């Protein structure tokens, strides 16, 4: 018999027995056959986002690009005018680009699957081989859980589904991935449930949380998309445009508008001045294709997928989509949490002070006695984080020298624990060692009210410095055999405060320094106390500046929040929506924002950011929604990913700068020549072959390495200055082409022979494009071997093709030696001018952090 899942809302108000009956199960668990039937009915215990898309879906997503759409439109128009060669080449380029993108995403998904296998979660399930047989406990993959399964939980276990507790022993779970609260939450089994419907409900453990201490058994009430955090945090709607969309697509649409105007201009000019009709339409389409950087999708995909593959192999960083690598290179703000990122997930003892503020080693020693004997006598499977820090700080020999008597364990109502030991030097006396929350311990001490208030003020001042506190007190009693209880915790002697601070992540300081070198600002968005967050930042050398309590954000409108987000470094006591608002405000301020998160409470901010980053140990839904997945939660790996993104971004910028400058110059020259000459300046087939040769050579730019000064800052493309740059170099190229016209006109044959003119211009175009590839690149000097070989091959094709039979079929013919000498003079002057401009002008004014106007 199968049963539908029972999400928390549906199970609200039901007793444990009613839950078991509704799920058609029992405390002994399901049978294996029943579990198999339910798995087929409900599906695996995985979230929808983690299911890989099919290849047709991948290819369709890869085609969603403005240039890809325009190229397809040009291909259709070319086919309509019977320019089949142009149409076939365009469709081939689009297909190659889409396949490369889809293959890159598929490769990233395979790497993700490998990482998931490395951290695959299993769970102890109690099932019966068949009806009437006793239950057996065995480990099964978490994905095989079904509603009605009875699971067992222990320290360190990830809660694999929503579980209603049937029994629990000192159970505490970490729900920080769900709520952002770093303090463990006590859970216990209750026959009559709480009225609470939030994550604070005591009798439910939720998928995504982790068992910190204790043990429990419970029945699975919901799996996969029916779990509490899945229904609350499943992504809705598309993500906002990223830095890639704003930069590359911004340039694309500006060029598309100009390109769409080109064919009508060519047709009208030839009709008005030369009386030519629709016979010039193939030439007009060739000119439009000549302006279009038709290899842009292929070059962008090649650069980004190559960088992503190197990251996966060298640094175990999985970039799940090519665009995400560009966004990493453009990122100039990284938002992250404190706990587990800048600091480790465990505190350390800082020291102890007495009531006068003096160092108090005795207070620390008594706290260790309490931590050790509470752990031993209360039968706890593991100490909590603060007790573990006390035991790690030393003093165990002294603690074990005390003979234990009894323990009164910690509970959330008293907020303290008591260990009772024999007095070491006094017979017949017991010592109560009490440790816990400051207010709770001071209430039980024999203090005057004024003294108690003074100590509370001292504790508040210490907490304001960013430390956590425990108060320690002792009390001497007559030895007895009757049990001890909370009533004995009175008339105590205050011993002091023990202070703790968060242990810093080993690589955090180095990573923060590296981010500063990369011109990436850090914003800390944490649920912790403002003072705690500020102290961690200062310990790591990051000046916290103005620390903002997220509780004040509700009073700010979007404009005020945008201004605040631009100047503040630390936002404390942040909830999920607070983080998302801050990220959105930074983007509104014109920044390219990355967000590192691993919990469900990070999901809204992660989806709002330009690039979402998650460690593989993060919650499954967050990991599957992230753009970049880290094999380890190591900030240094993000620095490596930023460098790879800037390498790819710099090479994409080089390609755009080179191809658009050259294409723009050619188009201007073609339009001019088409009006002045009695024949077409170049045949459509010649334009197509020239473009194919140039585009194929530029694939070598994926192997270039941008100059170090470009890697030291974000590589976002700013459309306005970028278009100004290519316009300037394009006009210079047009002048070189016009000089070529004059040169060709100087020879009698070229003045009247179409073939000689076409050959001369074809050769000059490929030679100037080879020069542009070498001189306009933004990489280090000298150019790498693949780039030099590609440029040399391009120049060789330009010189040799008119001399071959294939050249004759294209309408090309050999030129006289004098023409080559004149072309050499033009090329020398063009190369000198290009070199002068690139040396003294701004080589990369279009590469920078995006401005607010974007």
């Amino acid at each position: 018999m199968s049963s539908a899942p029972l999400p928390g809302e549906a199970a609200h108000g039901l007793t444990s027995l009613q839950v078991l009956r509704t799920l058609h199960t029992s405390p002994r668990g399901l049978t294996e056959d029943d579990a198999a039937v339910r798995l087929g009915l409900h599906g695996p215990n995985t979230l929808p986002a983690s299911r890989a898309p099919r290849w047709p879906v991948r290819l369709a997503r890869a085609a969603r690009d403005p240039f890809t759409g325009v190229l397809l439109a040009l291909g259709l128009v070319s086919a309509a005018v019977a320019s089949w060669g142009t149409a076939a080449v365009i469709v081939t380029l689009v297909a190659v680009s889409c396949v490369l993108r889809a293959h890159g995403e598929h490769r990233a998904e395979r790497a993700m699957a490998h990482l998931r296998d490395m951290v695959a979660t299993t769970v102890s399930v109690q099932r019966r081989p068949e009806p009437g047989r006793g239950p057996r406990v065995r480990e099964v993959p978490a994905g095989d859980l079904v509603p009605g399964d009875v699971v067992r939980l222990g320290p360190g276990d990830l809660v694999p589904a929503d579980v209603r507790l049937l029994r629990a022993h000192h159970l505490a779970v970490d729900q920080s991935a769900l709520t952002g609260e770093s303090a463990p939450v006590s859970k216990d089994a209750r026959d009559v449930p709480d009225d609470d419907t939030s994550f604070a409900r005591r009798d439910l453990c939720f998928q995504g949380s982790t068992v910190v201490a204790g043990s429990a058994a419970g029945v699975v009430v919901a799996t996969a998309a029916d779990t509490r955090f899945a229904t609350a945090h499943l992504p809705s709607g598309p993500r906002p445009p990223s830095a890639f969309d704003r930069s590359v697509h911004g340039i694309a649409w500006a060029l598309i508008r100009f390109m769409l105007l080109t064919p009508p201009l060519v047709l009208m000019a030839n009709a008005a001045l030369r009386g030519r009709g629709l016979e010039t339409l193939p030439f007009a389409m060739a000119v439009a294709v000549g302006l279009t950087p038709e290899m842009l999708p292929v070059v962008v995909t090649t650069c980004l997928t190559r960088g992503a593959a190197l990251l996966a192999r060298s640094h175990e960083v999985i970039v799940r989509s090519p665009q995400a690598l560009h966004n990493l290179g453009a990122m100039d703000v990284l938002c992250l949490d404190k706990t587990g990122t800048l600091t480790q997930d465990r505190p350390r003892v800082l020291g102890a002070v007495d009531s006068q503020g003096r160092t108090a080693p005795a207070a620390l020693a008594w706290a260790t006695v309490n931590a050790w004997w509470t752990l031993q006598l209360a039968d706890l499977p593991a100490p909590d984080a603060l007790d573990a820090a006390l035991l790690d700080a030393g003093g165990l020999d002294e603690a074990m020298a005390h003979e234990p008597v009894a323990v009164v364990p910690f509970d959330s109502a008293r907020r303290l624990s008591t260990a009772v030991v024999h007095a070491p030097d006094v017979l017949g006396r017991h010592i109560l060692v009490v440790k816990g929350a400051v207010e709770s311990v001071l209430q039980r001490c024999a203090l005057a009210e004024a003294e108690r208030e003074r100590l509370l003020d001292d504790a508040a001042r210490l907490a304001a410095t960013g430390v956590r506190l425990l108060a320690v007190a002792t009390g001497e009693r007559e030895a007895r055999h009757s049990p001890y209880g909370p009533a004995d915790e009175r008339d105590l002697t205050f011993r002091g405060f023990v202070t703790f601070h968060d242990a810093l992540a080993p690589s955090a300081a180095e990573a923060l320094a590296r981010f500063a070198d990369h011109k990436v600002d850090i914003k800390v968005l944490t649920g912790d106390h403002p003072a705690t967050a500020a102290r961690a930042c200062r310990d790591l050398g990051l000046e916290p500046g103005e620390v903002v309590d997220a509780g004040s954000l509700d009073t700010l409108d979007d404009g005020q929040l945008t201004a605040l987000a631009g100047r503040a470094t630390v936002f404390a006591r942040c909830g999920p929506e607070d983080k998302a608002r801050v990220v959105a405000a930074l983007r509104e301020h014109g920044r390219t924002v990355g967000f590192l998160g691993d919990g469900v409470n990070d999901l809204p901010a992660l989806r709002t950011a330009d690039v979402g980053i998650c460690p593989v140990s993060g919650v499954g839904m967050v990991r599957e929604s992230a753009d970049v997945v880290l094999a380890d939660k190591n900030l240094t790996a993000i620095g490596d990913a930023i460098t790879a993104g800037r390498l790819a971004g710099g090479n994409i910028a080089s390609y755009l700068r080179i191809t658009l400058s050259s294409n723009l110059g050619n188009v201007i020259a073609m339009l001019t020549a088409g009006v002045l000459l009695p024949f077409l300046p170049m045949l459509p087939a010649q334009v197509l072959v020239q473009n194919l040769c140039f585009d194929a050579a530029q694939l070598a730019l994926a192997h270039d390495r941008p100059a170090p000064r470009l890697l030291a800052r974000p590589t976002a493309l700013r459309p306005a200055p970028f278009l100004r740059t290519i316009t300037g170099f394009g006009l210079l190229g047009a002048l070189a082409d016009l000089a070529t016209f004059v040169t060709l006109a100087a020879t009698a044959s070229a003045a009247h022979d179409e073939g000689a003119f076409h050959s001369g211009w074809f050769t000059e175009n490929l030679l100037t494009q080879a020069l542009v590839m070498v001189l306009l690149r933004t990489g280090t000097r000298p150019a790498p071997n693949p780039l030099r070989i590609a440029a040399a091959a391009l120049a060789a094709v330009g010189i040799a093709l008119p001399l071959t039979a294939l050249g004759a079929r294209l309408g090309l013919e050999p030129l006289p030696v004098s023409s080559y000498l004149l072309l050499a003079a033009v090329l020398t002057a063009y190369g000198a001018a290009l070199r002068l401009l690139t040396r003294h002008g701004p080589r990369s004014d279009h590469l920078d952090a995006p401005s607010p106007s974007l």
Side-chain angles (χ1 to χ4, degrees), residues 700 703-705 773 777 780 782-793:
H703 299 273
D704 202 1
R705 184 176 181 84
M773 279 184 62
R777 50 181 286 274
T780 55
N785 286 334
L787 193 59
R788 285 187 286 177
I789 292 171

Side-chain angles (χ1 to χ4, degrees), residues 251-321:
I251 294 169
W253 284 113
L255 292 172
I256 286 167
R257 295 185 189 99
F258 185 70
M259 182 199 66
L260 292 177
L261 291 175
T262 302
L265 287 175
V266 174
L267 289 173
M268 288 188 294
N270 279 273
L273 299 177
R274 293 293 177 182
R276 301 184 187 121
L278 289 178
E279 67 270 17
T280 59
L281 183 58
F283 174 71
M285 295 305 303
V287 172
V289 173
L291 178 64
T292 307
E294 60 271 5
M295 287 293 284
L296 177 64
V298 178
V299 171
V300 168
T301 304
T302 301
C303 289
L304 295 178
T305 54
R306 182 172 180 269
L310 289 173
L311 271 179
R313 287 197 302 269
S314 305
H315 304 287
E316 292 189 311
V317 176
I318 307 302
V319 180
R320 304 191 62 196
S321 67

Side-chain angles (χ1 to χ4, degrees), residues 512-526:
L512 291 179
R514 188 173 178 186
F515 289 139
D517 292 340
H518 279 91
K519 304 297 187 294
V520 175
D521 295 333
I522 298 296
K523 305 289 183 181
V524 180
L525 313 182
T526 179

Side-chain angles (χ1 to χ4, degrees), residues 34-77:
D34 197 6
V37 170
R38 296 189 187 200
L39 184 62
L41 179 64
H42 301 298
N45 181 32
T46 56
L47 297 169
S50 65
R51 296 164 193 171
R54 298 180 181 274
W55 270 99
V57 177
R58 292 186 191 277
L59 292 172
R61 287 193 316 204
R64 290 183 304 182
D65 176 90
F67 267 123
T68 301
V70 169
L71 285 175
L72 286 173
L74 286 175
L76 291 174
V77 174

Side-chain angles (χ1 to χ4, degrees), residues 442-443 445-457:
L442 290 180
Q443 285 175 1
C445 291
L447 296 170
E449 189 61 30
E451 179 67 5
R452 184 178 290 109
E453 291 298 327
R454 184 184 68 80
L455 290 173
L456 286 172
D457 290 342

Side-chain angles (χ1 to χ4, degrees), residues 75-358:
L76 291 174
V77 174
S78 298
V81 298
S83 183
W84 301 110
T86 302
V89 170
I90 289 174
V91 172
T92 301
L93 291 176
V94 170
V96 169
S97 172
C98 291
V99 169
L100 282 175
R101 290 188 194 183
H103 176 67
E105 292 187 7
H106 175 64
R107 183 165 53 186
E109 288 297 333
R110 285 192 304 173
M112 274 287 298
H114 174 67
L115 288 180
R116 279 196 295 265
D117 292 340
M118 291 171 59
V119 294
T121 303
T122 61
V123 61
S124 297
V125 176
Q126 184 173 292
R127 288 178 179 169
R128 293 171 289 153
E130 56 188 37
R133 297 280 299 274
R136 296 178 181 174
V137 177
R138 66 185 184 92
E139 294 289 317
V140 301
D144 291 346
L145 281 185
V146 295
D149 263 327
V150 174
V151 298
R152 295 186 177 183
L153 301 173
D157 287 345
L158 293 174
V159 179
D162 286 354
V163 175
R164 175 70 177 268
L165 295 176
L166 300 176
R167 59 181 180 274
H169 180 68
H170 300 305
L171 183 65
V173 299
D174 178 3
Q175 295 187 157
S176 59
L178 307 176
T179 65
E181 296 292 336
S182 57
V185 179
S186 297
K187 301 280 185 176
D188 54 61
R190 299 183 178 189
D191 186 51
V192 180
D194 295 338
D195 292 331
D196 197 343
T197 59
S198 69
F199 286 117
R201 183 165 164 173
R202 298 285 296 275
D203 60 342
L204 280 174
C205 288
F206 299 97
Q207 184 183 35
S209 55
T210 305
V211 177
V212 175
S215 59
V219 59
V220 174
V221 296
T223 59
D226 295 314
T227 59
R228 174 73 64 84
F229 82 74
T231 55
H233 295 92
L234 278 175
S236 59
R239 292 180 64 173
S242 68
F244 182 85
D245 303 319
R246 297 195 304 271
S247 58
V248 175
H249 289 188
I251 294 169
W253 284 113
L255 292 172
I256 286 167
R257 295 185 189 99
F258 185 70
M259 182 199 66
L260 292 177
L261 291 175
T262 302
L265 287 175
V266 174
L267 289 173
M268 288 188 294
N270 279 273
L273 299 177
R274 293 293 177 182
R276 301 184 187 121
L278 289 178
E279 67 270 17
T280 59
L281 183 58
F283 174 71
M285 295 305 303
V287 172
V289 173
L291 178 64
T292 307
E294 60 271 5
M295 287 293 284
L296 177 64
V298 178
V299 171
V300 168
T301 304
T302 301
C303 289
L304 295 178
T305 54
R306 182 172 180 269
L310 289 173
L311 271 179
R313 287 197 302 269
S314 305
H315 304 287
E316 292 189 311
V317 176
I318 307 302
V319 180
R320 304 191 62 196
S321 67
Q323 293 89 340
L325 187 62
H326 172 274
N327 294 337
L328 278 169
M331 183 177 71
D332 60 352
V333 177
L334 176 62
C335 299
L336 44 80
D337 197 354
K338 175 187 72 66
T339 305
T341 305
L342 301 180
T343 62
Q344 301 180 47
D345 292 324
R346 57 184 179 84
R348 283 184 178 171
V349 173
L350 186 61
V353 295
D354 61 14
S355 60
Q356 303 303 315
R358 298 170 300 203

Side-chain angles (χ1 to χ4, degrees), residues 597-611:
D598 57 2
V600 177
N601 60 310
D602 296 321
L603 192 56
L606 184 137
R607 286 181 53 79
T608 305
D610 289 287
V611 54

